[in-house]
Amino acid sequence: MKKIRCMKDLEIFSALDFTERERIGALARKRVYRKNEFVFREGEPADAIYLIKYGRVKLFKVSGEGREIILDILKEDDMFGENTFFEDTLHTMSAQAMEDTFVCSCSREDFAVLLKNPQISLKIIQLLGKKLNDFTDQVANMAFRDVRGRIAAALLSLADEYGVPSPEGITIDIELTHQDIGNLVNASRVMVTKILGLLKQEGIIAARGQRICLLDREKLAEAMEAC
C-alpha cells in the first residue's frame, strides 16, 4: 500500500521548497477517522490545526434543544481548527467524519513556526477570508429565503464544491440524508422531504440513492430567488 504523505503535499504549502515541505511532514500527526467518528467535540481544548488529505468532515453545533446545525462540509485540502491560531481556547463547534477520512494535524506551536513564512501566512488569511464569506452567505441564506429557497441555495453551493458531471446533469458526490440537508438549512426533515419531492416532480433534481443530481441548474437558481 502506498504511503500517504501528510500535509507537505497539500496546496497550502506549495510555495515552500523541498526542505521546508519535508520539515512539515516530520511535524505532522496522521490519523484515519472512521465514518461518524469525532475529530473533536464542542467544548474540548483547541490545541491543533487539522488538514484533510482525503474524505469529508462536517462542522456543526447543537442547540440547547438538541437540534444539530451543520456549519460546513469540508473536503480534501480544507483546513479546520484555525481558531487555535489566536489564543488558548475551546472548540466552538464539533467536527465529525462523514466517511472514512484521513486527517493530518500539528500543534499550534509547530504551526506558528510555519506562519513565519509570508506566503503561507497570506494563504491562511485568504482561507480565513473565504470561510468568513461562506458563513456570511449562510446566515444571509437563512435570513432572507424561505425553506425552498434555502434548500435550492444549499444544493447549488454543494454542486459547486462537490459536483461531478453526469449524463443527466451535475451529481453532488456526497451521501446526504434528508436530515443532513435539514441540518444545513435549518429546516425539519419532513419539510425537506416535501420540497425535494416537489423539485423532483418539476424535473429540477433527481435522487440517486443518497446522492442528488441537478437536472436543471437554471430552474434551481430560479427556485432559490423565488422567496
Side-chain angles (χ1 to χ4, degrees):
M1 180 177 178
K2 183 179 178 181
K3 184 177 179 181
I4 297 177
R5 296 180 176 181
C6 201
M7 292 187 77
K8 66 179 183 179
D9 291 335
L10 296 178
E11 192 277 334
I12 195 170
F13 302 123
S14 60
L16 300 181
D17 61 29
F18 176 81
T19 302
E20 290 171 320
R21 289 199 303 272
E22 287 296 311
R23 182 183 179 193
I24 292 171
L27 293 175
R29 300 190 292 269
K30 312 167 189 179
R31 179 173 170 184
V32 174
Y33 292 85
R34 300 303 177 189
K35 183 177 180 180
N36 296 325
E37 187 176 0
F38 281 85
V39 181
F40 55 76
R41 295 177 186 266
E42 183 174 355
E44 292 179 347
D47 56 4
I49 291 89
Y50 304 87
L51 296 103
I52 299 173
K53 187 66 178 177
Y54 68 74
R56 302 279 188 270
V57 170
K58 68 175 179 179
L59 303 179
F60 68 94
K61 291 181 71 71
V62 177
S63 71
E65 296 76 32
R67 185 186 185 110
E68 179 182 302
I69 299 174
I70 296 178
L71 303 173
D72 206 353
I73 296 176
L74 307 178
K75 62 184 186 307
E76 178 181 338
D77 271 349
D78 282 343
M79 177 184 293
F80 59 107
E82 62 274 4
N83 56 321
T84 307
F85 294 147
F86 305 110
E87 58 183 3
D88 291 323
T89 187
L90 303 177
H91 286 296
T92 58
M93 63 191 74
S94 298
Q96 186 179 27
M98 299 182 71
E99 60 191 47
D100 289 355
T101 301
F102 191 105
V103 174
C104 310
S105 66
C106 68
S107 69
R108 179 177 56 205
E109 291 75 18
D110 289 337
F111 210 87
V113 176
L114 301 176
L115 290 176
K116 292 179 180 179
N117 182 298
Q119 292 171 304
I120 291 181
S121 296
L122 178 59
K123 288 192 175 185
I124 294 293
I125 292 170
Q126 291 170 337
L127 181 149
L128 294 176
K130 180 181 182 302
K131 281 199 170 185
L132 180 59
N133 288 336
D134 289 345
F135 286 139
T136 301
D137 288 343
Q138 187 176 13
V139 170
N141 182 43
M142 299 285 191
F144 302 126
R145 293 190 173 101
D146 61 14
V147 178
R148 179 183 169 96
R150 298 203 299 269
I151 291 174
L155 294 179
L156 288 167
S157 178
L158 289 168
D160 288 339
E161 289 288 330
Y162 306 104
V164 175
S166 67
E168 298 172 291
I170 302 294
T171 298
I172 299 172
D173 192 25
I174 308 177
E175 290 188 0
L176 291 169
T177 66
H178 290 186
Q179 186 63 61
D180 290 332
I181 296 172
N183 293 345
L184 269 171
V185 302
N186 194 26
S188 70
R189 180 190 57 78
V190 173
M191 182 62 73
V192 169
T193 298
K194 177 181 177 181
I195 291 175
L196 290 180
L198 291 172
L199 293 173
K200 292 174 191 174
Q201 290 176 18
E202 295 167 23
I204 297 175
I205 66 170
R208 299 293 176 260
Q210 288 188 324
R211 285 176 167 80
I212 294 175
C213 180
L214 276 55
L215 304 178
D216 193 326
R217 190 184 179 100
E218 185 174 326
K219 285 187 178 179
L220 191 62
E222 291 174 0
M224 177 182 71
E225 298 302 337
C227 56

